[in-house]
Amino acid sequence: MSSPLPSSPAASASVLDLAPVVPVVVVDDLADAVPLARALVAGGLPAIEVTLRTPVALDAVRVIAAEVPDAVVGAGTVITARQVEEVVAAGARFLVSPGWTDTLLEAMRASGVPFLPGVSTTSEVVALLERGVREMKFFPAEAAGGTAYLKALAAPLPQARFCPTGGITPALAPEYLALPNVGCVGGSWMLPKDAVAGRDWERVEALAREAAGLSAGGTCR
């Protein structure tokens, strides 16, 4: 992600440095988007990835961008050039994909906002490095080899940095964050389904605060 983020609460040039955890959000009810985002931000997690997995996802990006100024809202599960255009127009400030092609990569690069293309193999990492991309999503993290795989990549490919996502829990997160090539992790454990269904935003905020305090070894930063 070579392009800097627009001015953000953390004044960071990289999504990987905004917080130790990027919440991966699935919005089923548009009415939940703003209070959910406010709870996450209040808990210390400003970078919010809204996945394009539901009919209201694009509108969720739009209302969060408009009504939660302290959030750095991004779009996840971006897999087409058209989606890139739509989410950036809606106000997305970063893009995340589960994988990549040259067509998708070119669209993300042309968007002018930071992006994390997904990888799960060494060859994909090398191919992105050849194209000047150094920050990536490692997905699906646990299924693709977890911390052992990323640790093995660190020595031969130290220039690559990752946001591992997929199967990561609060117990596993510190193990990932201890790795030199991991900037942050993605997860959804701070958004339990029963809390979202019950609109228990205080609980979401409390879980977000716990996640924001995670670091290598499980201690607060």
Side-chain angles (χ1 to χ4, degrees):
M1 296 191 307
S2 57
S3 302
L5 286 169
S7 58
S8 69
S12 172
S14 170
V15 174
L16 299 186
D17 298 324
L18 287 176
V21 179
V22 174
V24 179
V25 178
V26 179
V27 179
D28 292 303
D29 187 336
L30 186 59
D32 293 338
V34 168
L36 185 154
R38 286 175 175 160
L40 293 172
V41 171
L45 300 180
I48 301 171
E49 176 189 337
V50 177
T51 64
L52 301 183
R53 301 180 191 175
T54 68
V56 301
L58 186 62
D59 286 330
V61 171
R62 185 175 291 110
V63 296
I64 293 172
E67 299 183 33
V68 191
D70 289 336
V72 181
V73 62
T77 323
V78 176
I79 58 173
T80 69
R82 180 176 180 179
Q83 286 178 329
V84 170
E85 294 178 359
E86 290 175 340
V87 297
V88 171
R93 292 164 67 178
F94 65 94
L95 310 170
V96 185
S97 67
W100 65 277
T101 64
D102 280 322
T103 298
L104 179 59
L105 186 66
E106 183 57 34
M108 291 192 293
R109 197 192 300 272
S111 72
V113 302
F115 55 90
L116 292 172
V119 297
S120 60
T121 70
T122 306
S123 294
E124 291 171 329
V125 176
V126 172
L128 283 177
L129 291 174
E130 283 185 348
R131 291 159 174 78
V133 178
R134 295 189 175 190
E135 297 188 348
M136 312 164 194
K137 172 180 178 175
F138 180 57
F139 176 82
E142 281 293 287
T147 55
Y149 195 95
L150 288 174
K151 189 180 296 183
L153 290 181
L157 301 171
Q159 60 272 61
R161 294 183 74 212
F162 301 95
C163 174
T165 305
I168 298 177
T169 65
L172 291 173
E175 298 178 17
Y176 280 93
L177 293 169
L179 300 177
N181 54 354
V182 169
C184 65
V185 300
S188 57
W189 69 84
M190 70 295 301
L191 297 162
K193 291 183 179 180
D194 60 334
V196 175
R199 293 176 172 163
D200 187 351
W201 307 127
E202 289 185 4
R203 182 180 171 199
V204 170
E205 180 180 337
L207 290 170
R209 187 170 291 108
E210 292 177 4
L214 288 175
S215 66
T219 58
C220 292
R221 292 186 170 192

